[in-house]
Amino acid sequence: FCALNKHYKKMVLLNVRSDYGEELANSFADSASQLGIQIVHSSSFFAGTTNFRDNVIATFKMKEFDAIFLAAGSKDGGELIKQSRDMDVTQPFIGGDALYSEKLANIAGKKETAEGTVVPTVYKPTFNVAQPFIQKYKEKYKEEPEIWSAQGYDSIKLLAHAIERAD
């Protein structure tokens, strides 16, 4: 996506210090290198960090780059995006599936702050095939399902199908 669709040449790579964050960051760095994307700055941070301004954002803000790859969850990611926007960082954020959550926009503050953040997903609530699941979920839990609910539902359905076929 970054190289082929957006033609990004220079990127910043940020990750939370966890197995998820480090593995995703390493995977992205390897792919970026193969596609000719230069990582102009790489930095990691601890989960639960509340101030990204001095130790993370200030270290890359003045560099020349096209986008930021962020390997973190919605809580840390939302806070980092919010503080980056407060410091006039305008480049787009791209991240892993852990950023895919309404919580990201809530934590980032205004919806516009997280607007344009790109994350992969296999769940799209507007697909017709998802409508029966969404309706049942909303009736039972009185809220919109997130990706993890949909993936859990699909996993159980797949497991049930496999058990039925095994008999």
Side-chain angles (χ1 to χ4, degrees):
F1 173 83
C2 296
L4 303 176
N5 291 351
K6 294 295 185 178
H7 307 290
Y8 296 149
K9 299 290 183 204
K10 296 179 180 182
M11 293 187 68
V12 168
L13 176 58
L14 306 175
N15 69 280
V16 65
R17 290 182 189 164
S18 69
D19 289 343
Y20 169 82
E22 291 169 7
E23 288 295 322
L24 183 58
N26 289 339
S27 178
F28 180 81
D30 289 345
S31 295
S33 175
Q34 292 172 11
L35 294 169
I37 298 173
Q38 178 187 0
I39 304 298
V40 297
H41 178 80
S42 182
S43 176
S44 64
F45 53 88
F46 291 105
T49 297
T50 56
N51 183 352
F52 294 97
R53 289 172 179 85
D54 296 331
N55 294 328
V56 178
I57 302 166
T59 63
F60 71 80
K61 182 179 188 267
M62 301 310 286
K63 296 186 183 287
E64 186 179 318
F65 61 96
D66 302 311
I68 302 161
F69 188 85
L70 177 57
S74 57
K75 182 178 180 192
D76 294 319
E79 194 59 46
L80 196 151
I81 291 170
K82 176 183 179 186
Q83 291 177 31
S84 294
R85 298 300 184 231
D86 289 346
M87 292 180 68
D88 298 322
V89 174
T90 59
Q91 289 88 340
F93 279 87
I94 299 161
D97 60 350
L99 287 179
Y100 187 84
S101 172
E102 283 295 317
K103 294 174 188 167
L104 178 73
N106 293 338
I107 293 167
K110 301 178 291 190
K111 183 179 178 185
E112 302 80 39
T113 303
E115 189 89 19
T117 300
V118 177
V119 295
T121 183
V122 295
Y123 170 65
K124 186 162 174 122
T126 57
F127 285 165
N128 289 338
V129 71
Q131 297 313 306
F133 163 72
I134 293 170
Q135 184 178 357
K136 289 177 187 174
Y137 188 94
K138 285 167 59 175
E139 286 171 8
K140 183 167 185 166
Y141 299 105
K142 311 292 186 238
E143 65 183 18
E144 295 284 334
E146 288 195 351
I147 186 173
W148 312 116
S149 302
Q151 285 185 339
Y153 177 81
D154 282 348
S155 297
I156 295 299
K157 296 285 276 184
L158 184 60
L159 181 61
H161 178 73
I163 291 170
E164 287 173 8
R165 295 216 37 185
D167 286 343

